[in-house]
Amino acid sequence: MKKLISGTTAYSVFANDLKSGTLSHAYMLDFADPENLRGALKILALGFFGLDEDSADGKRLLNGSLADCIIYPEDGKKITADGIAEILDESAMKPLERDKKLFVICGFEQASPLLQNKLLKTLEEPNAGVHFLLGVTNPAPVLDTVKSRVKKLTVPPFTKEQILGALQRAGDNPLNADAAESCGGILGAAQNMVRGGWFKDVVSAAREICTTTEIKDIGEVAIRHGETKYKTELLARTGILFHAALVKKLDGGEDEISKLWTIPALIYAQESLLKAYADVKFNAFFQGLLYDFMLRLIEENNKWLKLRQ
């Protein structure tokens, strides 16, 4: 995680502000990864105090016991009125161990408008040496009046190569490459895929759907995978496989999936999966949806194969 975050523009901007002495009194980190938002904020906090994660004070910061780095709320807890009141009271006090104090608020978008408003004046004019670092996974619920008082740092989705590198550094796993490709650039999503046995089943199911080319087989496949809890994930993974096959086919190459389908059929698969994804959102009967998708895809493929003859 540290390598990923330290390589972002957001981290560079923050580090440059520190180095140049132009540190803003308040920042907002926009990072759409709820699994890793707190960790990313702590990485910035280490930089704020110039601490190494392996140093004694660095370890204190990470475990929440560094007096001048207040990380709120506790992991798994919600932002409350009492918590905001404590932050306001604490912000009026001088740092205890250093010349500056940092308040890290994780999941700030979850604070009600009333609680956000309570912080406005302090965010705009904090006491000397007091700084704020707000973390959000979605900036939309944050009041415009708050946004106007903070310097925004945005971490965009990572590339699949970056995600794969992070997963590999955590441990070799045969699912790493598939998770990196399927997570949409969100490390936490990829980590959950690798940890959960469900993703292995999704990968296997998607591959079976993509390699089923006989109409007589689609009923059994639809029944086998029609009761999955991970409907959207299965459709997304199927779409990724078909897209990769299309790219391979257009480049003149061939793999296990691309060799089974014509280019028009692969294009049709992309369009049909988008519709299927929308239908799932409206609680469509998934077993029937899979059957219909495979039937129409095979018919499309057979049509183009006959034209070649």
Side-chain angles (χ1 to χ4, degrees), residues 77-118:
K77 300 292 183 64
K78 295 183 179 181
I79 297 173
T80 65
D82 288 342
I84 294 298
E86 289 177 15
I87 288 173
L88 293 174
D89 289 342
E90 184 67 32
S91 68
M93 302 179 186
K94 294 182 178 180
L96 295 176
E97 302 177 3
R98 287 172 169 74
D99 60 351
K100 54 187 178 181
K101 180 183 291 189
L102 179 65
F103 291 89
V104 179
I105 306 180
C106 186
F108 186 75
E109 76 274 19
Q110 298 174 25
S112 68
L114 177 62
L115 295 183
Q116 292 185 39
N117 271 316
K118 287 181 179 293

Side-chain angles (χ1 to χ4, degrees), residues 146-181:
V146 171
K147 293 175 182 175
S148 68
R149 288 162 171 79
V150 300
K151 184 169 183 176
K152 190 175 179 182
L153 305 171
T154 301
V155 177
F158 298 112
T159 66
K160 64 181 180 181
E161 291 78 15
Q162 289 174 313
I163 297 288
L164 179 58
L167 294 176
Q168 289 293 96
R169 287 191 291 275
D172 190 27
N173 188 306
L175 291 175
N176 282 350
D178 289 322
E181 192 175 36

